[in-house]
Amino acid sequence: MSTSEQHGRARRRLVAAIGAAALTLAAGLVPQQAAAADGDKVLTVAVAQSVDSLSPFLAQRLLSTSIHRLTYEYLTNYDAKDARATPALATKWTSSPDKLTWTYTIRSNTSWSDGKRATAEDAAWTFNTMMTDPDAATANGSFVANFRKVTAPSPTKLVIELKKPQATMTALDVPIVPKHVWEKVDDYSEFNNDKKFPIVGNGPFILTDYKPDSYVRLKANKDFWRGAPKFDELVFRYYKDQDAAVAALRKGEVSFVSGSPALTPAQASSLEGEKNIKVNDAPGRRFYALAVNPGARAKNGDTFGDGDTSLKDERVRHALFMAVDRKTVVDKVFQGYAVQGEGYIPPRFGSYFWKPSDGQELAYDPAKAARLLDEAGYKKNADGKRVGKDGKPLDYRVLCHATDPNDKAIGQYLQEWWGDLGIGVSLNCVDNVTDPWLAGQYDLAFDGWSVNPDPDFVMSIHTCGALPATPKDTGATDNFICDKQYDELYAKQLAEYDPAKRADLVKQMQSRLYDLGYMNVMAYPNAVEAYRTDQIASITTMPEKAGNIYGQDGYWSWWSATPADGGDSGGSSSTGVVVGIVAGVVVLAGAGVFFALRRRSTAEDRE
């Protein structure tokens, strides 16, 4: 998670692997190290997302950041019951009366997987590297933008001095890496941490093998300070076709299916009541939205991209907002597996959840939307098309994910709803939305992020400081929003320690975003996932009473998962891995090339 402020991201690398390699894998030739040892209990998780990077300094996708939560400790963790800060690498922490100096006690009973002790020096080096190298700040630089100085006076003492108070000091979602390994890296923008295995870490699992767009394999860290996981190995297996992943669950080839990012209503319904399969339907931590391109720009003032200039008019944005029936989205597309969207933070996070006032609400009202377009100078011509004073018709390109059925279904509704207003809509559904998104080559786009218990990151991506330094760089911005009033509120909430006052400021930020009309939050999708009870006897949700399993804010699910007696655990042999690779790879083999996706994530990609 990363904030607002400074660091422009480096240009991303494009990694290609020869298509013949894909065909070889599809034929079943699996590297020997990919296979589990005989008798090992393997928990296999089917995922619909590929890894963007295995570097904690670069990774932003939910799968990647979830893997880092398993392989590296953070200073603090979130309690599974109520998401309060709980010890992790740090056993306790204190602040000075002025809140400008924070001291963390680093636990003495944890080591890196290569046997070296993990110390405060590792944490200090991690933060200092992010403070001094913009490339190392790509994913999480916001957390250190306000740091003045970080030192390690002793192996068990970490001291962080701040420029001004910072409310996120017990929620620094930054993986701490081993200094003795990472200080050898020359270029943090290029190093993806995916060439040499096992990867040195100190979390509950050790990353032992990885094949792009195929699988990630981890083994239990038997020396983990909290206790070893109960499964010997954990495999994340990639399926581009979500129906194929569900079929694999039915056959017992995988233990768990998370969806993209959730199971579709039809898939969930088809699994309900099936023998040895449990469907988990819980309030989600995500929002699902339509993002408007406000005009891509960089910090240096340069503009780029080709977003439609009509969208710079707030009346047009509001008209589009009011011509989207969010109730239909929830009832017809999500079929009840979601809550109607309003503010930026899902109702699961009660203290930060915000609702517009009656006079403020941009409710579904096509007639009012038409009047707003008229007022903005976009009236219907004889053919029923909305045109500007220059005679140019309103025709919008909507960027969507080819693998997300929700995008496509809602896109069809947009063509109907906005078509009735006289606006043309073309869906641009692609596998890799990153390139056009970063280039600002879209008018609107389907967007969505996972929200953490502390909302700082997800609010930071709309600050002016998150813009790229130049058009050639990659910023932390979601969709190029830059608003002075919003920035002022963001700075106030970051420095506010009183929970109630901070929550009020976060709500004011959501209100400002809503009024600007750049983000139309349509729904808060449920976390709908399923697992085999003959392979997994028990597993912890977060929150424990009614929460999600995949994509947690900690490592509780996979660390706590208990094997069922006699279960084959979803592919504990090399054959099981072959099946997953064939399903995840053969669909790409026709192209002849594997393309590793860029590090920047969009829509359902981010944690």
Side-chain angles (χ1 to χ4, degrees), residues 70 106 132 180 203 242 247 286 314 319 351 400 406 418 471 475 490 499 515 539 569 580 585:
L70 297 170
I106 303 301
T132 56
H180 66 281
Q242 188 165 306
R286 304 186 62 79
E314 186 176 285
S351 59
C400 76
N406 295 323
W418 293 351
Y490 174 79
D515 289 343
I539 193 166
S569 304
V585 172

Side-chain angles (χ1 to χ4, degrees), residues 322-344:
M322 298 173 74
V324 172
D325 186 352
R326 293 187 291 282
K327 185 177 187 302
T328 292
V329 168
V330 170
D331 292 345
K332 301 298 185 181
V333 178
F334 289 99
Q335 295 180 29
Y337 289 95
V339 176
Q340 188 169 315
E342 293 172 307
Y344 203 59

Side-chain angles (χ1 to χ4, degrees), residues 12-46:
R12 298 160 314 281
R13 48 87 178 100
L14 188 62
V15 181
I18 307 300
L23 292 172
T24 300
L25 286 174
L29 299 180
V30 183
Q32 185 173 356
Q33 66 267 31
D38 289 341
D40 280 356
K41 292 291 185 180
V42 182
L43 173 53
T44 308
V45 178

